[in-house]
Amino acid sequence: MCSPEEAALLQLEEVFSATLARISNRVLQPLLTAEPSDPQGRECLRLLQQLHGCAQQLWEVTERSLRALRERLRHPDAIGLESLLLLLEADHVLQVHMEYIESYTSCVVVQAFQKAAKQRSRYWRGQRKALRQLLWGVSPEGSMGTALVQALRQPLTHHVQKYALLLLSLRDTIGECHPARELVVRAATLFGDLHSFMKQALDQAEATQALWLTLSSRLRDALCTPARRLLQDSQDVPVTVTPLRAERALLFDDVLVLLQGHSVHTFDLKLVWVDPEQDGCAAHLLTPEEEFFFGSRSPREKQEALERTYEEIEATVSQALGQEHKLPMDDLLPLLIYVVSRARIQHLGAEIHLTRDMMDPNHTGGRYDFLLTALESCYQHIQRDGRHASTAHLPGLQGALVARPPLDQA
Amino acid sequence: MAAAGGGAAAGRAYSFKVVLLGEGCVGKTSLVLRYCENKFNDKHITTLQASFLTKKLNIGGKRVNLAIWDTAGQERFHALGPIYYRDSNGAILVYDITDEDSFQKVKNWVKELRKMLGNEICLCIVGNKIDLEKERHVSIQEAESYAESVGAKHYHTSAKQNKGIEELFLDLCKRMIETAQVDERAKGNGSSQPGAARRGVQIIDDEPQVQSSGGGCCSSG
């Protein structure tokens, strides 16, 4: 007997095989006709050729899997479940997928689709409508290069996700003593891993590609390679670097890069020794050329900064009113929102999140928790009514206090 | 839940978080200021003494650390409520007896709190400004029967004349202790590390589960 999962797998492979054929004919082959004049263009072309090769292999393996599924569904009693290519040659199928994903993400990172599509922009403009009918995920707007990136991405992610789900479901339906059980369990694990790998690879490629777009062309030329992936950017995880000066630190999968103005320091990760400091907020980095510290403000320092802010607000208000004034939340919150929005704190959401995660559980419900919660509520409020909230309601410190309750009617 | 509420073990103090909710001019801040000042009357100046207050109590030999969180009453900040009341052990919902509208707001808060936090939070509905009895617009009977219907206690206070405030807090603390004790017993005595259990990593099994027998999250009081 055949399970519904096997029928679903058959259908999945049929669709994917057809999609791959269309991608090859309608996207990759036309892209390969570009005739680049510069080295960068030639590199893109080489990557696209490689991708075409990987796509071909993927199509072949899909076809073989399809044939095995068809055979099995035609003679379910004579041909066992274990004859499915997905189970029998799970490692090979996995390998082909990984090569395709790696090749695709390399093209994404260096913007190979965009560059090649630009070469024959008139041709691609005429193709957009036809492609939209043939391939899922081609957007009607935006650059054609980006549309092509999506045209390859959507079928791939859908396919891998479905693989993982159907194999899991197959694992759950077949009996404990089924002869193919072990194979199914193994394949379900492998393709679950593939799904995670794919998601990570795609996210990293996207982040890396986006990073290149924000850097100057000189920096990009110096740092961009098809295989390099961005792991962390100091714009997302605020750190300070001492004694070297760096306005931005970029951690790639092979190098650490410190940027300061026009100067670029690159450190090969193989030659970087990291020594975490005891407080967990800093790290000592040793390289053959340099020695420096990575640090973030400690949660303790952040707490103190927060307390000083509240003190300052209360002192300012008392000064303005000429008498000591205790601020209930009705007054404090609008003022705090004003101060926080004016302070333009970078990565405020991430900072709050991180500080809270680092908070000593014993502080829960206490003063520090309260301070942080008030800051968090400011952040949410500013986010919520964005442009209006920050300044429009607030005529100024004094105005906010003199006519109480002034802020509702504003 | 019962956040820091753990610790019936001898010697350890209960820590309770109480959130203060109510419209702008109902006098919720004066109420708490009155309560905390009266007892200590200390001249030491610290910040936040009108928006975050703490008080140490000893109730029947049990030590209690009370943290009272003020909230902004303006309607446009209503949506921020959940950030403040999460993990609260108690809530004091204040209205002005001369202002029907403020009582309506309290009802809205009750509905929201019961929906979000269930029955674990002790609710106090407080009709403030009883010194203005002549201008009363919210009937005593209506308020009390409403409180009863939602499992809350009702109190009459005057921050101006310092009436009913001690009782309110004392009563609330006793109820929170009871809730914490019930909670502790339910958990068993083994792991009563305060706080520690709450933060940390939680692993949630997302395998399809069999529907559990009712109860769930939707049981509003």
Side-chain angles (χ1 to χ4, degrees):
Chain A
M1 270 303 290
C2 278
S3 59
E5 283 81 10
E6 288 171 77
L9 273 172
L10 175 76
Q11 206 185 4
L12 183 69
E13 297 287 43
E14 271 172 348
V15 172
F16 192 52
S17 170
T19 309
L20 280 173
R22 279 200 289 268
I23 285 175
S24 178
N25 290 332
R26 307 296 293 258
V27 180
L28 293 174
Q29 281 172 19
L31 278 177
L32 293 176
T33 59
E35 286 167 1
S37 48
D38 58 331
Q40 274 188 3
R42 281 195 288 277
E43 172 74 357
C44 287
L45 192 62
R46 186 186 67 78
L47 290 168
L48 287 168
Q49 272 162 352
Q50 197 183 40
L51 178 62
H52 189 230
C54 292
Q56 186 65 29
Q57 282 196 354
L58 189 57
W59 178 77
E60 279 164 17
V61 105
T62 310
E63 277 290 303
R64 281 178 60 211
S65 166
L66 191 53
R67 277 198 296 277
L69 277 158
R70 279 202 190 111
E71 282 296 299
R72 157 89 176 135
L73 287 164
R74 210 170 289 147
H75 313 287
D77 299 320
I79 298 170
L81 182 60
E82 62 278 4
S83 70
L84 295 187
L85 192 78
L86 281 177
L87 305 181
L88 204 61
E89 292 186 35
D91 290 302
H92 176 62
V93 178
L94 191 78
Q95 185 62 31
V96 172
H97 274 85
M98 281 169 62
E99 280 165 13
Y100 178 75
I101 291 167
E102 273 165 6
S103 181
Y104 168 71
T105 50
S106 295
C107 290
V108 169
V109 166
V110 300
Q111 296 219 303
F113 293 99
Q114 286 85 340
K115 282 174 189 155
K118 225 182 212 167
Q119 291 247 323
R120 295 181 61 197
S121 55
R122 193 177 298 161
Y123 167 79
W124 286 111
R125 260 204 301 280
Q127 289 291 306
R128 189 190 283 258
K129 206 170 164 195
L131 278 177
R132 283 195 64 203
Q133 284 162 357
L134 285 170
L135 287 168
W136 176 41
V138 179
S139 67
E141 283 119 29
S143 85
M144 198 55 210
T146 316
L148 294 178
V149 170
Q150 285 303 318
L152 266 72
R153 183 185 167 124
Q154 297 279 15
L156 172 72
T157 51
H158 174 76
H159 174 71
V160 172
Q161 190 182 13
K162 278 282 184 179
Y163 254 2
L165 284 174
L166 285 172
L167 284 166
L168 275 179
S169 150
L170 187 62
R171 182 198 68 184
D172 294 341
T173 46
I174 69 169
E176 283 292 338
C177 326
H178 194 285
R181 173 148 185 101
E182 227 168 86
L183 282 174
V184 174
V185 170
R186 185 157 179 279
T189 313
L190 283 180
F191 285 95
D193 291 348
L194 176 68
H195 186 235
S196 312
F197 167 80
M198 175 190 72
K199 276 205 302 197
Q200 192 182 346
L202 292 174
D203 287 349
Q204 283 181 352
E206 210 146 86
T208 311
Q209 190 249 128
L211 168 75
W212 300 140
L213 296 178
T214 65
L215 297 180
S216 69
S217 60
R218 197 181 60 85
L219 267 178
R220 188 165 57 233
D221 291 346
L223 296 173
C224 178
T225 71
R228 182 168 288 164
R229 299 287 181 272
L230 177 69
L231 302 182
Q232 287 292 359
D233 182 341
S234 64
Q235 291 199 335
D236 304 321
V237 186
V239 290
T240 52
V241 187
T242 46
L244 294 182
R245 278 171 53 100
E247 60 201 17
R248 196 165 177 189
L250 299 168
L251 178 66
F252 293 96
D253 54 357
D254 59 339
V255 290
L256 171 69
V257 177
L258 302 182
L259 304 177
Q260 173 67 34
H262 288 296
S263 82
V264 188
H265 274 283
T266 307
F267 303 99
D268 187 339
L269 285 189
K270 283 199 282 296
L271 303 174
V272 173
W273 180 261
V274 183
D275 229 354
E277 297 283 304
Q278 280 201 328
D279 63 357
C281 301
H284 181 205
L285 278 82
L286 254 166
T287 74
E289 310 91 29
E290 304 272 1
E291 185 181 345
F292 50 93
F293 284 91
F294 260 32
S296 61
R297 288 272 174 141
S298 75
R300 177 77 226 165
E301 288 171 290
K302 285 174 192 162
Q303 177 183 349
E304 282 160 13
L306 252 177
E307 299 217 47
R308 277 202 303 280
T309 308
Y310 290 89
E311 275 165 24
E312 202 60 49
I313 290 175
E314 236 169 20
T316 308
V317 170
S318 296
Q319 203 184 355
L321 295 179
Q323 64 179 63
E324 192 170 308
H325 190 80
K326 297 172 186 171
L327 289 172
M329 278 309 261
D330 287 351
D331 295 333
L332 181 61
L333 186 63
L335 291 169
L336 194 62
I337 289 171
Y338 176 83
V339 170
V340 170
S341 63
R342 283 298 183 93
R344 297 180 188 282
I345 302 164
Q346 285 208 326
H347 324 297
L348 181 57
E351 283 284 7
I352 293 170
H353 207 94
L354 188 70
T355 315
R356 193 173 282 290
D357 281 348
M358 292 293 175
M359 189 175 76
D360 181 343
N362 287 323
H363 287 317
T364 307
R367 180 185 168 82
Y368 182 33
D369 188 4
F370 177 82
L371 291 168
L372 202 58
T373 301
L375 184 63
E376 187 182 340
S377 72
C378 288
Y379 173 66
Q380 278 217 2
H381 187 77
I382 292 166
Q383 289 237 306
R384 197 164 289 148
D385 40 2
R387 289 166 296 280
H388 313 296
S390 55
T391 47
H393 289 298
L394 292 157
L397 289 185
Q398 246 177 315
L401 279 163
V402 172
R404 260 217 280 167
L407 301 161
D408 271 341
Q409 289 95 34
Chain B
M1 215 206 72
R12 209 189 293 145
Y14 287 93
S15 292
F16 293 129
K17 170 179 166 184
V18 173
V19 67
L20 202 56
L21 298 162
E23 230 190 343
C25 290
V26 298
K28 56 184 175 355
T29 315
S30 329
L31 205 76
V32 186
L33 277 178
R34 179 66 101 173
Y35 175 63
C36 293
E37 267 175 1
N38 237 18
K39 185 76 174 252
F40 287 114
N41 198 20
D42 67 348
K43 288 272 175 285
H44 181 64
I45 290 150
T46 55
T47 46
L48 297 173
Q49 52 184 331
S51 45
F52 175 79
L53 294 111
T54 54
K55 183 144 176 149
K56 287 186 186 348
L57 298 158
N58 194 320
I59 299 172
K62 296 186 183 76
R63 287 190 291 132
V64 175
N65 293 326
L66 200 58
I68 304 163
W69 293 41
D70 192 17
T71 62
Q74 294 94 322
E75 186 53 39
R76 69 195 177 91
F77 295 134
H78 184 95
L80 302 175
I83 306 181
Y84 287 91
Y85 61 64
R86 65 182 170 207
D87 298 331
S88 292
N89 304 86
I92 296 176
L93 305 131
V94 190
Y95 69 93
D96 174 353
I97 62 160
T98 70
D99 180 1
E100 170 72 46
D101 220 39
S102 69
F103 184 58
Q104 204 51 50
K105 292 273 154 56
V106 162
K107 287 184 175 175
N108 293 343
W109 278 119
V110 170
K111 226 181 276 170
E112 186 174 332
L113 287 170
R114 282 285 182 238
K115 190 173 154 211
M116 307 298 288
L117 303 176
N119 286 324
E120 280 187 79
I121 183 164
C122 299
L123 300 185
C124 298
I125 298 177
V126 178
N128 192 31
K129 303 195 186 175
I130 52 168
D131 46 293
L132 299 174
E133 189 58 48
K134 277 182 217 137
E135 295 162 49
R136 177 183 278 281
H137 273 96
V138 181
S139 95
I140 297 181
Q141 210 197 345
E142 188 201 339
E144 287 184 340
S145 64
Y146 170 74
E148 205 184 323
S149 74
V150 295
K153 280 269 175 80
H154 189 279
Y155 303 86
H156 304 275
T157 62
S158 163
K160 196 174 170 188
Q161 299 173 344
N162 194 13
K163 275 188 188 159
I165 299 173
E166 274 303 320
E167 296 94 295
L168 159 68
F169 282 95
L170 193 65
D171 224 37
L172 174 61
C173 285
K174 285 182 184 161
R175 282 163 58 208
M176 289 191 298
I177 291 174
E178 274 168 33
T179 311
Q181 283 174 336
V182 171
D183 209 60
E184 232 160 63
R185 240 168 273 146
K187 261 192 231 145
N189 292 327
S191 61
S192 51
Q193 279 277 5
R198 269 176 60 239
R199 298 197 62 87
V201 181
Q202 264 202 7
I203 298 166
I204 293 160
D205 191 0
D206 57 8
E207 296 274 303
Q209 336 179 298
V210 188
Q211 196 70 35
S212 64
S213 55
C217 55
C218 304
S219 63
S220 54

